[in-house]
């Protein structure tokens, strides 16, 4: 049997991605806002946490208050919510692919800001030695179990929070506005305000996950927040089931465990390039197979909320991006 | 709930299937396992093929020399996708699944991410492609760097500019850790310690559609030369722009990543564009280790070693690890790490290969391994003590060593 510590690490990463996928589900699955800026929000939360906890003068950072991680953690979540508001205010005026591209652009802008503000963030050099909770009590390999506990606890909290949102009147209205904005407006719902609230809420949830991600990586640099991370979260959510309550959770575990299991295939070193090429192919194949046989993902929105909650003649797979009903362009 | 159970069962089955690998314990028997954690895909992917081939040449040499501690040597390869996240998960797989005894191949950002874990798990690690200035003052107990720091690369760039007589230099710098670090040192040393002037400091991102504006900004600022720090994939469109806009009379100084065959090919096709130099650590003159390495690498891959592909450092690190393990007489991480400076530094009989070093160790002699890239002498924090730098220029369509120089000791790392 493989050393369990390895799988502890894999499950830790899966739990982190599960948290991110569940946060994404709130805005994209239920809100219909197809956000490609996850990496930017994660970068905001991560750098906020790193800057607030930094206290080592050797790091030569302009602002390094050295706050406790327990103070910096919630502040990172709030700061990411503010960033989400700054992005959402202009971006949510746009619809469909225009919104999608705008959020992707904002994520890249955030990454560039991190690089440019080198005296605050250390630019491309990044920050090593991230402060981690309880590492003075548990060290070495054993700390992996602590980290798994933190990541699973964070994912559990995320599940409870997002589930409550999903079944609340707010969540129902959010899905209703996604499916038929005109009707929601006719019923007096303030759809735009609801969407910006949702976008901010997703930002707060992603910002709250960011420190856990850093505990796993143990260093931060702009390269960490390339668009690839956004697509991984999206892939997890689509596999699990966009719009379902459990989809993000299940999809992330399936995706990350599958990806790492593929990496365990043993090949001769001279054939490593073949394995490297096959890995994304197999992950893509997994996605295709899931979409072929379970178009709504492993868990469908219909099963989560009941068929009665959806308009007649539409399936969860028909979810459209924000404002699709209006048909208005950028 | 039923579906949750089905999904978790599926995950469990995948995990169980994957659990059929080797034990994660670094056993005292069986092969000595050296990990190779490297970007075979992603940003560092273009270098991956050459890097791996060089590592394989080294491990073949170890095994041809009778193995290490009488055991065969196995190279365990893991792709880190050129990302810190990939480095963390790849390192976990190498240590917990494969049970490696030592590690090589890692790049700067991945090294920073696993630095603390390397120490906690006591895995001797040689960084063969980490220029990061972050390692300038840390390491030497478990982590060692056999490539010059970006600080050295920045200083030698300024030294070349000074020696070529350039007083006004424009800069074109890609925004990445590996290119900004030497460029920032270059700028500080050139202006503060040499009194030079930076006519324009242009920074840009990789992957932009066009670099016309950036190239024009730099070359039209009236410089004696332009210092370019970029990856070679970015360098190609920049040089196409340089050629198209007719700036070919302005000399250029390149960082190591640009010293690739593609760049040499572009430059050699431009008449009069000869004053193009780069500087990198490359000790190819009267070096038996280099002379022995080149034909074996060429046999392995079909091409001779390329300056910008960092392959020779990949080779050196595994010869060092093999000799250090032999000297330590055990695969214990702390013992091997302690032996690394002992075999890389004098005093001792200077040796140029694993077989030569092993013979001297078995005869009870201390050794001082001289690698393909330099004498590999290390300072107290595991960095190269005095890297020999080669000034490179384009000759007959390829890069050629013009001269070897030592870093000017009067030039210091800026604070």
């Amino acid at each position: 049997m493989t050393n369990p510590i390895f799988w502890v690490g894999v499950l830790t990463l899966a739990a982190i991605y599960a948290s991110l996928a569940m946060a994404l589900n709130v805005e994209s699955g239920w809100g219909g806002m197809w956000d490609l800026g996850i990496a930017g929000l994660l970068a905001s939360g991560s750098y906020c946490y790193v800057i607030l906890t930094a206290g080592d003068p050797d790091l030569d950072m302009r602002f390094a208050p050295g706050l406790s991680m327990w103070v910096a953690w919630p502040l990172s979540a709030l700061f990411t919510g503010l960033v989400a508001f700054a992005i959402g205010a202009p971006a949510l005026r746009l619809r469909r692919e225009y919104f999608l591209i705008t959020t992707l652009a904002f994520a890249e802008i955030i990454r560039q800001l991190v690089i440019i503000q080198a005296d605050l963030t250390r630019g491309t050099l990044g920050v090593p030695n991230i402060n981690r909770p309880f590492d003075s009590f548990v060290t070495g390999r054993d700390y992996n179990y602590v980290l798994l506990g933190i990541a699973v606890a964070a994912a559990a909290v995320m599940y409870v929070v997002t589930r409550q949102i999903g079944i609340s009147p707010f969540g129902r209205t959010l899905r209703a506005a996604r499916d038929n904005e005109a009707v929601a407006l006719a019923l007096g719902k303030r759809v735009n305000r609801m969407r910006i609230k949702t976008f901010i809420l997703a930002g707060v949830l992603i910002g709250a996950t960011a420190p856990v991600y850093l505990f796993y990586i143990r260093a931060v640099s702009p390269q960490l927040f390339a668009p690839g991370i956004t697509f991984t979260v999206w892939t997890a959510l689509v596999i699990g089931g966009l719009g379902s309550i459990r989809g993000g959770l299940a999809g992330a575990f399936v995706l990350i465990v599958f990806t790492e299991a593929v990496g365990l295939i043993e090949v001769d070193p001279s054939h490593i390039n073949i394995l490297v090429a096959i890995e994304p192919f197999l992950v893509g194949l997994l996605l295709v197979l899931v979409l072929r046989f379970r178009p709504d993902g492993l868990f469908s929105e219909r099963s989560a909320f009941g068929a009665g909650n959806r308009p007649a003649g539409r399936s969860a797979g028909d979810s459209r991006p924000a404002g699709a009903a209006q048909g208005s362009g950028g | 709930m039923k579906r949750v159970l089905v999904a978790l069962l599926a995950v469990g089955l995948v995990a169980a299937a994957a659990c059929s690998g080797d034990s994660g314990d670094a056993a005292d028997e069986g092969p000595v396992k050296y990990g190779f954690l490297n970007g075979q895909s992603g940003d560092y992917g273009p270098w991956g093929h050459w890097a791996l081939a060089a590592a394989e040449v080294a491990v073949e040499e170890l095994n041809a020399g009778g193995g290490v501690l009488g055991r065969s040597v196995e190279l365990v390869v893991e792709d880190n996708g050129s990302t810190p996240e990939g480095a963390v998960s790849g390192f976990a797989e190498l240590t917990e699944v494969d049970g490696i005894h030592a590690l090589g191949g890692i790049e700067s950002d991945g090294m920073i991410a696993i630095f603390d874990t390397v120490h906690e798990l006591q895995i001797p690690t040689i960084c063969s492609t980490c220029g990061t200035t972050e390692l300038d003052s840390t390491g030497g107990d478990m982590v060692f760097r056999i490539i010059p720091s970006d600080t050295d690369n920045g200083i030698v760039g300024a030294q070349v500019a000074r020696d070529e007589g350039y007083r006004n230099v424009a800069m074109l710098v890609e925004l990445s850790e590996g290119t900004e670090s030497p460029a920032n040192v270059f700028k500080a040393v050139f202006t503060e310690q040499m009194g030079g002037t930076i006519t324009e400091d242009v920074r840009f991102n990789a992957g932009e559609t066009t670099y016309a504006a950036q190239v024009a900004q730099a070359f039209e600022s009236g410089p004696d030369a332009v210092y370019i720090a970029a990856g070679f994939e970015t360098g190609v469109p920049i040089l196409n722009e340089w050629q198209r806009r007719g700036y070919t009379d302005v000399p250029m100084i390149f960082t190591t990543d640009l010293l690739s065959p593609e760049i040499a090919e572009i430059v050699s096709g431009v008449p009069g564009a000869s004053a193009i130099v780069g500087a990198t650590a490359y000790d190819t003159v009267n070096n038996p280790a280099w002379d022995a390495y080149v034909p074996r690498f060429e046999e392995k891959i079909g091409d001779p070693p390329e300056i910008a592909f960092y392959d020779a450092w990949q080779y050196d690190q595994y010869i060092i690890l093999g000799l250090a393990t032999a000297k330590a007489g055990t695969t214990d991480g702390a013992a091997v790490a302690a032996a690394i400076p002992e075999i890389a530094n004098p005093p001792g009989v200077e040796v140029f290969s694993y077989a030569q070093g092993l013979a001297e160790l078995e005869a009870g002699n201390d050794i001082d391994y001289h690698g393909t890239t330099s004498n590999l002498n290390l300072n107290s924090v595991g960095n190269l003590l005095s890297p020999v730098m080669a000034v490179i220029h384009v000759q007959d369509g390829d890069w050629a060593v013009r001269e070897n120089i030592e870093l000017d000791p009067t030039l210091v790392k800026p604070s």
Side-chain angles (χ1 to χ4, degrees):
Chain A
M1 286 289 286
T2 301
N3 190 327
I5 290 286
F6 171 72
W7 289 105
V8 166
V10 172
L11 294 177
T12 303
L13 187 62
I16 293 166
Y17 272 103
S19 294
L20 294 172
M22 286 187 279
L24 176 65
N25 189 45
V26 173
E27 57 169 324
S28 301
W30 299 333
M33 296 170 278
W34 288 13
D35 182 2
L36 284 186
I38 308 301
L41 294 174
L42 192 62
S44 304
S46 298
Y47 270 94
C48 182
Y49 176 82
V50 163
I51 291 167
L52 291 178
T53 53
D56 183 354
D58 289 345
L59 292 175
D60 201 22
M61 293 164 75
R62 176 158 48 96
F63 179 66
L67 294 183
S68 154
M69 67 182 73
W70 304 112
V71 176
W73 198 335
L75 288 177
S76 302
L78 292 175
F79 175 76
T80 312
L82 279 175
V83 173
F85 173 71
I87 295 171
L92 285 169
R93 295 171 186 270
L94 305 173
R95 297 292 183 256
R96 299 179 311 197
E97 61 270 32
Y98 300 98
F99 174 79
L100 189 135
I101 291 167
T102 304
T103 52
L104 182 64
F106 267 113
E108 190 55 23
I109 288 169
I110 289 169
R111 204 165 72 90
Q112 294 305 322
L113 282 175
V114 165
I115 292 171
I116 292 164
Q117 296 298 318
D119 54 346
L120 187 64
T121 62
R122 302 190 85 220
T124 52
L125 203 54
V127 182
N129 312 117
I130 301 294
N131 293 325
R132 307 197 298 177
F134 313 120
D135 61 356
S136 55
F137 302 107
V138 185
T139 56
R141 281 186 164 91
D142 291 342
Y143 189 82
N144 288 285
Y145 292 102
V146 175
L147 195 52
L148 176 63
I150 293 170
V152 168
V157 170
M158 186 71 79
Y159 177 79
V160 171
V161 169
T162 55
R163 183 178 183 280
Q164 286 306 114
I165 295 169
I167 61 176
S168 69
F170 179 84
R172 286 197 295 273
T173 312
L174 197 59
R175 294 197 303 279
R178 174 201 64 193
D179 291 339
N180 197 326
E181 184 173 343
V183 170
L185 287 168
L187 290 172
K189 302 298 179 187
R190 302 170 79 174
V191 173
N192 284 340
R193 177 173 288 200
M194 195 170 56
R195 283 193 176 131
I196 192 87
K197 278 183 186 171
T198 308
F199 200 72
I200 293 169
L201 178 64
V204 169
L205 295 175
I206 291 167
T209 307
V212 188
Y213 186 57
L214 294 186
F215 300 155
Y216 175 79
I217 301 291
R218 306 189 75 170
V220 67
S221 65
Q223 196 202 356
L224 209 51
F225 306 105
I229 201 165
T230 297
F231 298 124
T232 304
V233 176
W234 262 103
T235 306
L237 183 57
V238 169
I239 287 173
L242 185 65
S244 73
I245 294 173
R246 302 185 188 106
L249 186 66
F253 274 87
V254 169
L255 179 65
I256 299 298
V257 170
F258 181 80
T259 304
E260 293 296 335
V262 169
L264 286 177
I265 297 172
E266 289 187 20
V267 295
D268 186 84
S270 56
H271 296 135
I272 187 72
N273 56 337
I274 298 172
L275 180 62
V276 165
I278 283 175
E279 277 178 7
F281 169 77
L282 290 177
V283 173
L285 187 64
L286 170 71
L287 182 62
V288 169
L289 289 174
V290 167
L291 292 178
R292 167 64 184 83
F293 295 105
R294 296 192 66 85
D296 293 343
L298 296 175
F299 297 92
S300 70
E301 182 173 0
R302 183 185 295 267
S303 67
F305 298 105
N309 282 348
R310 299 200 57 80
R314 287 200 59 205
S315 70
D318 294 335
S319 301
R320 286 174 291 175
Q326 288 186 336
S328 58
Chain B
M1 195 62 200
K2 188 179 164 190
R3 282 178 179 166
V4 176
L5 289 173
V6 170
L8 290 176
L9 185 64
V11 170
L13 284 173
V14 172
C19 280
S20 57
D22 297 337
S23 163
D25 297 328
D28 292 333
E29 295 177 354
V32 173
K33 293 183 175 181
Y34 292 147
F36 179 76
L37 181 58
N38 186 262
Q40 295 289 302
S41 62
D43 290 349
Y44 301 123
W47 289 270
H49 181 50
W50 281 261
L52 178 57
E56 287 184 296
V57 168
V59 170
E60 285 165 10
E61 181 178 333
L62 297 180
N63 284 324
V68 173
L69 305 175
R71 297 152 63 181
S72 64
V73 178
E74 183 183 334
L75 186 70
V76 188
V77 182
E78 188 64 37
D79 173 33
N80 62 31
S82 307
T83 66
E85 188 181 302
V88 171
S89 58
F91 183 68
E93 188 173 330
L94 286 171
T95 52
E96 308 302 342
V97 178
D98 300 306
I100 59 164
H101 299 98
L103 180 71
I106 186 88
E107 306 90 354
S108 290
D109 34 18
M111 185 68 248
I112 298 303
I114 65 169
F115 187 86
D116 292 333
T117 315
V118 159
H119 284 80
E120 287 165 6
L121 302 186
Q122 299 274 288
I123 303 292
T125 298
I126 297 185
C127 214
S128 52
T129 49
C130 306
T132 178
T133 54
E134 203 60 41
L135 289 180
D136 284 4
S137 55
T138 55
D141 49 358
M142 199 55 63
V143 175
F144 304 87
R145 172 165 64 184
I146 60 169
I147 193 169
S149 161
D150 286 340
T151 302
D152 296 331
N153 288 323
I155 289 174
V156 81
Q159 192 173 326
V160 167
R162 180 196 64 189
D163 295 348
E164 295 286 324
Y166 306 141
R167 300 293 304 155
N168 303 297
V169 173
M171 298 175 70
L172 269 169
V173 183
E174 182 180 320
L175 286 168
S176 74
E177 190 274 334
T179 48
E180 275 206 298
S181 287
N184 291 339
V185 172
F186 168 88
K187 185 177 181 179
V189 171
F190 186 66
T191 56
E192 294 167 16
Q193 296 173 44
M194 295 174 176
T197 302
I198 300 297
T199 57
E200 196 71 60
D201 182 357
V202 184
R203 309 267 164 153
F204 56 85
N205 285 302
E208 292 187 13
T209 313
T210 171
Y211 293 97
Q214 292 91 335
V215 169
Q217 212 178 339
F219 280 88
E220 289 179 8
S221 61
D224 301 329
V226 175
Y227 174 89
I228 305 182
F232 77 83
E233 287 176 320
T234 313
V236 170
I238 284 177
L239 284 183
N240 285 335
E241 202 63 47
W242 159 82
Q243 186 179 0
R244 188 161 45 241
R245 287 176 164 263
Y247 297 129
T248 53
D249 57 332
V250 181
M252 293 183 283
I253 301 170
F254 289 160
T255 50
T256 308
D257 290 351
L258 285 169
L259 307 180
S260 72
E262 292 87 347
I263 300 289
E265 198 176 321
I266 294 173
V267 169
S268 61
V270 180
S274 59
I276 295 161
V277 293
T280 187
Y282 229 49
D283 183 15
T284 59
V285 181
N286 298 324
N287 181 354
W290 173 259
D291 295 340
Y293 165 72
V294 171
R296 284 183 291 149
F297 181 85
E298 199 162 355
E299 185 186 354
K300 183 91 186 164
I301 207 166
D303 288 310
E306 289 291 349
I307 289 169
F309 285 3
Y310 300 95
D311 51 81
W313 288 283
Q314 304 284 2
Y315 166 85
D316 277 343
Q317 70 190 342
Y318 291 107
I319 302 299
I320 292 174
L321 286 174
L323 289 171
T325 309
K327 168 132 183 122
T330 170
T331 53
D332 174 72
V336 173
I340 287 174
E342 291 177 22
I343 67 107
N345 291 348
V349 180
E350 190 170 40
V351 298
F352 297 91
S353 70
Y354 177 67
Q356 211 181 350
L358 189 61
E360 293 294 341
L361 288 174
E362 286 173 350
N365 297 324
D366 287 334
I367 59 170
D368 173 17
Y369 174 63
H370 187 123
T372 59
T373 52
S374 78
N375 61 29
L376 298 173
N377 293 341
L378 303 172
N379 64 19
S380 60
V381 289
N383 281 305
L384 286 179
L385 198 59
S386 54
V388 173
M389 309 298 276
V391 178
I392 317 278
H393 68 150
V394 176
Q395 189 178 56
D396 300 329
D398 204 353
W399 294 104
V401 175
R402 194 173 75 186
E403 59 177 326
N404 278 354
I405 58 172
E406 290 192 2
L407 286 178
D408 182 343
T410 64
L411 302 174
V412 295
K413 179 187 177 183
S415 57

